[in-house]
Amino acid sequence: MISSTAMKNVWLSMEHQAILWCNQLVVQVSHTILSLIDPETRQPFHDRQRRLAIFAKMLRSGVPQSLNRIVEASLSSSLGHDGNSASGSQEYTLSACPNNVQWSDDGLERDLYIETRTVTVLAMDGRRRWLDIKKLGLNEKSHFVLVTNLVPCHGVRIHLWPEKGNTSSDLLVRKRVVELTSKMAQIPSGPAPRQIEPGSQTEQPPLSAIFWISPEDMQGFRFITISVAPRPALSGRPPPAASMAVGQFFNPKEGNLEFSTLSLILSAYSQKDMVFKEDHPLALNLEFSISLGLLPVTLSLKTAGCGIKSSGLAAGEAGDVENNRLCKLRCFPPVALAWDTTSGLHIYPSLHSETITVDSAPALWTAQGSEKTFILLLVDPHCAYRTSYSVSLSAAARRFLLVYGSQIAGFTIAVVLFTLMRQARAWELDLPIPSMLTAVEYNMRLPLPFLLITVVPIVIAFLLSLLKSQSFPPVGSFLFVSLGCYTVANGFVIVLILISQLVFYVGAAMHVFFKTRWKLWERNCCYAFLQWFVNVSSSFFLFKQVLRALRFNTLLVTTIAAITLVCFVHPALGLSVLLLSHAFCCHNALCSHTQRKESFDSKNKGTNGIGQYAYQRGDISKNCSSSDQNFRSSTESANSFSDIQLEIFHHRHGLLILHFLAALMFGPSLVAWLQRMAIIHSFPWFVDSILCIGVILHGTCDSNPEFNFFFFPIPGIPGKEVTLSLGYMLAGYYTFLSSLALAPYRAFYVMAAIGLISFAFRVIQRKSREKGEAYFSSRKHSHRH
């Protein structure tokens, strides 16, 4: 796996949305694909090793591996780890600069001897600067770092000397000199500010290279030299931007700053400020206790001073405008190197105010490594900075939905399955079927329902990790992210329920209103003649019998049509037929409920509440599945027809939401199918068809709460039996665990399993009824309204 920032010529992190407007990744991948073509045969290379070599050449990180080692070395030094293991001095293969770019030391001007820990280069002056390692590296300030915009080998070279060499004839000394220029790591940066005329530079150019060396690498040497090439003579072109290099001996622990999770959360409400005074460490290590892939941080740096007041300028000349102008001219732009154990290195050149994030997904069940994020901040030690940081709530929300979208999608299906469990359990206990909104609210209650639905699956995931000897993420962050995703999933389901209920209730009210007015118009003789004409005309159409057959076999026709589309066209289209069936039944049930309730209320007003509608439970499937309307005995307890229709609506509404989410998961596949439909036709995958057939059987065989199947009794426990509510609960647990594993598609497995089992028990039920056997118990429901 290669992250975007780990590719050649790509130094910006991006996701599938940013890739639409950022062409770095697109261009590099396009060039890689074109490189796979043999220019002679104009066909792709068949040799696997050849293709692998091309991929390695074209996609290998544009950021040198030495830069990763530099960041790791800085982290190890600041955290107090063993420098031998961190610096990796033995891992580097030092090599001199190429022969075609070497320039002779004889061409250098007189040498400079640096007496301070900070060395500054402001021009390509052709001089060599000597730094005494033992003298300048006292008081644990033994690490040396150099940042520059000069090109390694072409503009700057670095050497380690065992002792001072006076002339070029000191051959014995020069044989022991080690060149470290190859250890410099180049930093991707933007274009340098151009000068229109000499002396018109307005700010320092951005950094392009960094050099870091630990005391272990400098053992046995006394001096380190920085050789700067002479300024090239150019004619007919604008002069290049000013050259710059800053080096420093420092103690990494002095620049180590830690940010706790609490401080980051509080910074979302009020930003935190810090001040870096002049003569601070050049490299500052910022350690964030929580990954910036979860909580992106907006980091801002503004120059507060650069020694202007001590330079002898008048007070009026040191105003804010002049101060900023001169500081930009003197201080190089800060650079941030964000490092994460999962995603690696992220570079933010010319940092002034930037939202820093990393491509990692912490607190996942499959997450590995530390959740901390480290930022190596390279700032000019000559300048003072006012620094502020705050958690960006908008960026955190976008990142949360992007990283944990699969987990939220799976949790959404789990929430609906737990809601159907609550509805099925109410039916089994002879209680009214609650609405979807009421069931979701009940499942969120503390302590028992919420703990049973959320904590138990998390504990199961922890136990599975122990059995598999798999590393488990930190419990605190894992619980926080998992419960956050589950809360977002509940919110999405609630919004979906409210929108669908609003549509159904408005549609039912309008339907009843116009139907009532239409009945009033039926008394008009003109309408009676029109109705007679329509009835006579319709008798000549052959499809009249077809429409009547469809009316009395709705479930059968729906099942056949949906399965046909699933197997031969596309699964999403077959599930759409099932959704239309659910919607039609919900609309009919709600219209009957609204109409009966209005007529019941009007009758109560006329007869002082004496009249009352009483209907049997067996009429529950009259509008949705008339083929099973005689399944219940006519001697069951009577109940209000209006309330019965409302229970039908609640039941089918739950199935509608579940199967809508299932169809929504096939949305991207449907779009791709529509795009290639004009090019080639292919049948759906066999596995997808089988799973969708199971989902369709679940929607048709469990379309009526009367069809809630009952399994065999539990052995050893008299009076207990495996019910549909238990099946929904186990399905919800499995979907919950699959969501933690970022595999929400596994929800189709349990939905298809419930559908196939429902179909099998419906067949057994019908055969038992034909034989006169009472295989299924008939339960009476007594509702109090």
Side-chain angles (χ1 to χ4, degrees):
M1 182 182 67
I2 301 178
S3 62
S4 59
T5 55
M7 294 179 61
K8 187 178 180 180
N9 298 327
V10 180
W11 61 85
L12 295 178
S13 61
M14 63 190 71
E15 70 280 354
H16 60 281
Q17 294 179 352
I19 197 176
L20 298 177
W21 56 266
C22 185
N23 289 331
Q24 290 182 354
L25 183 62
V26 176
V27 170
Q28 190 62 27
V29 173
S30 301
H31 289 173
T32 303
I33 296 175
L34 292 176
S35 300
L36 295 175
I37 305 299
D38 189 349
E40 297 180 358
T41 62
R42 296 184 179 182
Q43 297 294 328
F45 290 106
H46 298 287
D47 187 9
R48 181 179 301 178
Q49 296 298 329
R50 183 75 176 272
R51 296 198 303 266
L52 183 61
I54 293 176
F55 279 119
K57 177 183 176 182
M58 299 297 296
L59 299 180
R60 184 168 291 169
S61 175
V63 179
Q65 294 297 322
S66 56
L67 186 56
N68 287 278
R69 295 190 182 100
I70 286 176
V71 176
E72 294 176 2
S74 67
L75 298 180
S76 301
S77 302
S78 60
L79 297 177
H81 294 170
D82 186 9
N84 292 326
S85 61
S87 62
S89 59
Q90 302 300 327
E91 298 178 3
Y92 295 108
T93 302
L94 300 181
S95 60
C97 295
N99 295 327
N100 58 342
V101 296
Q102 286 187 356
W103 28 275
S104 175
D105 293 346
D106 298 335
L108 297 177
E109 301 291 337
R110 64 184 180 89
D111 294 347
L112 298 178
Y113 299 92
I114 308 300
E115 300 293 336
T116 60
R117 289 189 174 91
T118 303
V119 55
T120 305
V121 177
L122 295 179
M124 298 183 68
D125 51 8
R127 295 185 176 185
R128 179 168 52 199
R129 290 156 175 84
W130 291 79
L131 294 89
D132 193 331
I133 297 174
K134 292 184 177 180
K135 181 180 178 180
L136 301 179
L138 297 176
N139 300 325
E140 297 184 353
K141 296 185 177 181
S142 55
H143 288 74
F144 181 76
V145 62
L146 174 73
V147 294
T148 180
N149 71 327
L150 299 174
V151 180
C153 292
H154 294 269
V156 62
R157 295 172 66 181
I158 302 174
H159 297 83
L160 283 176
W161 295 70
E163 57 182 277
K164 179 71 170 64
N166 294 325
T167 63
S168 59
S169 61
D170 297 335
L171 299 179
L172 182 61
V173 174
R174 287 187 173 274
K175 287 181 180 180
R176 292 159 37 183
V177 174
V178 178
E179 183 170 2
L180 302 178
T181 310
S182 60
K183 288 186 64 174
M184 298 186 68
Q186 293 188 351
I187 302 175
S189 59
R194 301 188 63 84
Q195 296 175 271
I196 302 177
E197 58 185 16
S200 64
Q201 181 186 350
T202 58
E203 62 181 270
Q204 281 281 2
L207 302 180
S208 61
I210 177 176
F211 171 79
W212 183 296
I213 187 170
S214 64
E216 290 77 14
D217 292 324
M218 294 185 288
Q219 287 183 358
F221 298 94
R222 179 63 186 274
F223 295 95
I224 182 172
T225 60
I226 304 173
S227 303
V228 180
R231 188 181 187 89
L234 301 176
S235 59
R237 298 181 182 179
S243 304
M244 176 276 304
V246 178
Q248 185 187 62
F249 282 94
F250 72 105
N251 183 4
K253 295 182 180 180
E254 294 180 357
N256 189 29
L257 301 175
E258 297 183 4
F259 301 90
S260 62
T261 304
L262 180 60
S263 63
L264 291 177
I265 295 177
L266 293 178
S267 67
Y269 301 95
S270 62
Q271 69 177 13
K272 305 297 182 180
D273 299 324
M274 299 180 299
V275 176
F276 298 142
K277 298 181 179 180
E278 296 178 8
D279 199 24
H280 55 74
L282 191 153
L284 301 173
N285 181 41
L286 312 182
E287 178 183 347
F288 295 87
S289 58
I290 191 169
S291 175
L292 298 188
L294 180 60
L295 292 179
V297 170
T298 300
L299 189 63
S300 176
L301 282 87
K302 296 181 180 179
T303 53
C306 50
I308 296 178
K309 292 184 179 180
S310 61
S311 61
L313 294 176
E317 295 175 316
D320 292 338
V321 178
E322 187 69 12
N323 185 14
N324 292 333
R325 187 184 68 83
L326 294 178
C327 286
K328 284 184 177 180
L329 183 61
R330 181 176 184 182
C331 308
F332 64 80
V335 175
L337 306 176
W339 187 81
D340 183 85
T341 55
T342 303
S343 60
L345 191 63
H346 301 257
I347 302 175
Y348 295 87
S350 301
L351 177 68
H352 295 288
S353 181
E354 189 80 24
T355 299
I356 298 179
T357 182
V358 294
D359 291 334
S360 64
L364 290 176
W365 191 9
T366 57
Q368 301 290 336
S370 174
E371 293 187 355
K372 294 183 178 180
T373 298
F374 301 91
I375 296 179
L376 181 61
L377 196 60
L378 304 176
V379 288
D380 198 322
H382 303 97
C383 306
Y385 293 90
R386 290 192 300 268
T387 306
S388 62
Y389 70 93
S390 62
V391 172
S392 175
L393 293 179
S394 58
R398 291 194 301 268
R399 184 71 187 174
F400 186 85
L401 295 177
L402 176 65
V403 173
Y404 305 103
S406 298
Q407 190 167 326
I408 293 174
F411 282 161
T412 303
I413 299 179
V415 168
V416 179
L417 288 173
F418 288 135
T419 305
L420 294 177
M421 174 200 71
R422 192 64 58 188
Q423 289 184 337
R425 187 57 181 168
W427 176 269
E428 294 161 6
L429 296 178
D430 295 338
L431 297 175
I433 297 179
S435 65
M436 287 287 291
L437 198 60
T438 302
V440 172
E441 184 271 335
Y442 184 84
N443 288 335
M444 292 293 290
R445 290 181 182 178
L446 291 172
L448 188 58
F450 184 79
L451 295 178
L452 180 65
I453 290 175
T454 58
V455 178
V456 171
I458 294 178
V459 173
I460 294 175
F462 179 74
L463 295 178
L464 291 177
S465 299
L466 293 179
L467 294 176
K468 296 179 180 179
S469 299
Q470 178 183 348
S471 60
F472 198 77
V475 178
S477 58
F478 180 72
L479 285 176
F480 174 78
V481 171
S482 299
L483 295 180
C485 293
Y486 187 76
T487 303
V488 173
N490 276 274
F492 178 76
V493 172
I494 289 174
V495 171
L496 186 60
I497 291 172
L498 291 176
I499 293 176
S500 58
Q501 279 189 349
L502 178 63
V503 172
F504 280 122
Y505 274 94
V506 171
M510 296 178 62
H511 181 91
V512 172
F513 174 79
F514 287 109
K515 186 177 181 180
T516 304
R517 298 300 182 272
W518 192 264
K519 288 183 178 180
L520 295 177
W521 295 337
E522 288 182 354
R523 301 175 183 177
N524 193 329
C525 60
C526 181
Y527 174 78
F529 172 77
L530 180 62
Q531 186 180 21
W532 172 83
F533 178 77
V534 171
N535 292 334
V536 172
S537 300
S538 61
S539 60
F540 294 98
F541 294 97
L542 298 177
F543 63 87
K544 184 177 181 180
Q545 300 295 330
V546 177
L547 294 177
R548 181 177 301 177
L550 293 178
R551 180 180 179 184
F552 289 98
N553 297 278
T554 306
L555 290 180
L556 180 60
V557 173
T558 300
T559 304
I560 295 176
I563 292 178
T564 302
L565 292 176
V566 160
C567 295
F568 298 103
V569 185
H570 194 274
L573 299 179
L575 294 178
S576 300
V577 174
L578 183 63
L579 294 179
L580 292 176
S581 175
H582 289 326
F584 178 74
C585 184
C586 288
H587 177 74
N588 280 349
L590 201 56
C591 288
S592 301
H593 165 73
T594 304
Q595 185 176 4
R596 292 293 182 177
K597 188 175 181 180
E598 289 182 357
S599 54
F600 182 79
D601 293 339
S602 61
K603 187 174 182 179
N604 281 343
K605 291 180 181 179
T607 60
N608 296 324
I610 297 177
Q612 186 177 9
Y613 290 95
Y615 289 85
Q616 296 179 352
R617 234 345 154 155
D619 291 336
I620 196 170
S621 57
K622 181 176 181 180
N623 292 318
C624 302
S625 56
S626 55
S627 61
D628 295 288
Q629 63 183 351
N630 297 322
F631 173 70
R632 299 295 299 253
S633 173
S634 61
T635 60
E636 291 184 339
S637 60
N639 225 326
S640 170
F641 181 81
S642 175
D643 295 328
I644 291 175
Q645 294 300 313
L646 185 60
E647 290 187 43
I648 295 176
F649 170 76
H650 292 160
H651 176 75
R652 292 300 288 266
H653 189 212
L655 296 178
L656 173 66
I657 298 296
L658 178 64
H659 297 147
F660 172 76
L661 296 176
L664 202 62
M665 295 182 69
F666 278 100
S669 175
L670 178 62
V671 174
W673 177 79
L674 292 175
Q675 291 177 348
R676 67 172 185 269
M677 181 174 58
I679 302 176
I680 186 174
H681 174 73
S682 60
F683 292 103
W685 286 8
F686 179 75
V687 176
D688 292 344
S689 300
I690 294 299
L691 293 177
C692 289
I693 288 175
V695 174
I696 292 171
L697 293 177
H698 172 234
T700 55
C701 295
D702 291 335
S703 61
N704 193 321
E706 296 244 347
F707 302 156
N708 285 1
F709 58 85
F710 295 89
F711 290 101
F712 51 85
I714 300 178
I717 305 179
K720 298 294 183 178
E721 53 191 2
V722 180
T723 59
L724 181 60
S725 60
L726 181 60
Y728 280 136
M729 184 179 69
L730 295 178
Y733 281 168
Y734 181 81
T735 305
F736 198 104
L737 294 175
S738 300
S739 303
L740 293 178
L742 300 182
Y745 60 88
R746 295 178 185 172
F748 277 94
Y749 301 162
V750 290
M751 285 191 287
I754 293 178
L756 294 175
I757 295 174
S758 300
F759 176 74
F761 274 81
R762 284 290 303 278
V763 173
I764 297 174
Q765 175 192 27
R766 186 176 296 274
K767 291 183 178 180
S768 300
R769 189 172 57 192
E770 292 175 355
K771 295 179 181 179
E773 300 176 359
Y775 186 82
F776 293 90
S777 60
S778 180
R779 299 191 175 188
K780 295 183 179 181
H781 292 249
S782 177
H783 301 285
R784 293 186 294 271
H785 305 282

